[in-house]
Amino acid sequence: MPAQGKHRRTKSVSLSRGIAAVTTGGAVLALPVLGATTASATPAHSVAAEKAVAPVSVTAQVNSVTKAAPAKHSVVAGETLSKIAREYSVSGGWKKLYEGNRKAIGENPNLIHPGIKLTIGAKAAAPSDAKAGKAAKAAAPSAGRAATAERADRSERTAAAPVAQAAPVAVAPATYSNDLDGWIKESLAIMAERGIPGSYEGIHRNIIRESSGNPNAINNWDSNAVKGTPSKGLLQVIDPTFQAYHVPGTSTDSYDPVANITAACNYAADRYGSIDNVFGAY
């Protein structure tokens, strides 16, 4: 018959960490208790968490450094912007490379000289104040030309616009006194229109000699009178001569003072060059 004994149920300890005292031959050992049961406690953070806080990859760091510091390239003989842009995989090609190095290259992207230092990845430089001023000066003549063209166009429109013509000023006809002075002056005005030469003095001198200033004077005793064509008027003109040298616009009456003077002067101009050249019978 088996011996009966008392069995004590083992108690679970709920502490995750504690101190257990064990006596051995009167000595007391203090041992740390890591687990209350067969399972051990997990660390405070998992391996996945450690990976999550891992530093940025080396590739990302290299790219960051590359972007922050543009590369430098020294041009050698035989190179072109296109070739250099392809070598460095420049986004935007040779044009982008030229924009970033325009100051070093110059105005012609086809001419790059050995030894020129190019910055790969440089931003296009903003135009300097001098270039901006130069551009402003270049724009100024264009603005001036535009303004000039506008003024010329406005002038053309103004010139093309019909201009109201002012009504002609009525010129009062000249008036002459009804005497020897007035007759001579009126005759001279008509003669000037017709291009007949003569002067006031030449006309006046011959009138005084021929008729003493009498417009109705007539010669009934000379050879012309014998022929039936007596001399008449201020300058003693016979009818055939008067009719031949009558000036249009004047009276057809040979006794009319103005008609008589202009016909006689017209005849004298034809025969002697001018009434001024007549100093006797003519």
Side-chain angles (χ1 to χ4, degrees), residues 112-192:
I112 58 173
H113 304 285
I116 293 178
K117 303 294 183 181
L118 301 181
T119 302
I120 310 300
K123 295 182 179 180
S128 62
D129 293 341
K131 289 184 177 180
K134 188 176 181 180
K137 289 181 179 179
S142 298
R145 286 194 296 270
T148 302
E150 182 181 355
R151 287 194 298 270
D153 181 60
R154 184 165 59 249
S155 299
E156 288 179 1
R157 292 197 301 269
T158 303
V163 179
Q165 294 184 352
V169 179
V171 179
T175 57
Y176 303 97
S177 57
N178 189 24
D179 55 18
L180 182 58
D181 179 70
W183 300 331
I184 295 175
K185 290 179 179 178
E186 185 175 354
S187 296
L188 285 171
I190 297 172
M191 290 164 58

Side-chain angles (χ1 to χ4, degrees), residues 35-41:
T37 61
T38 58
S40 61

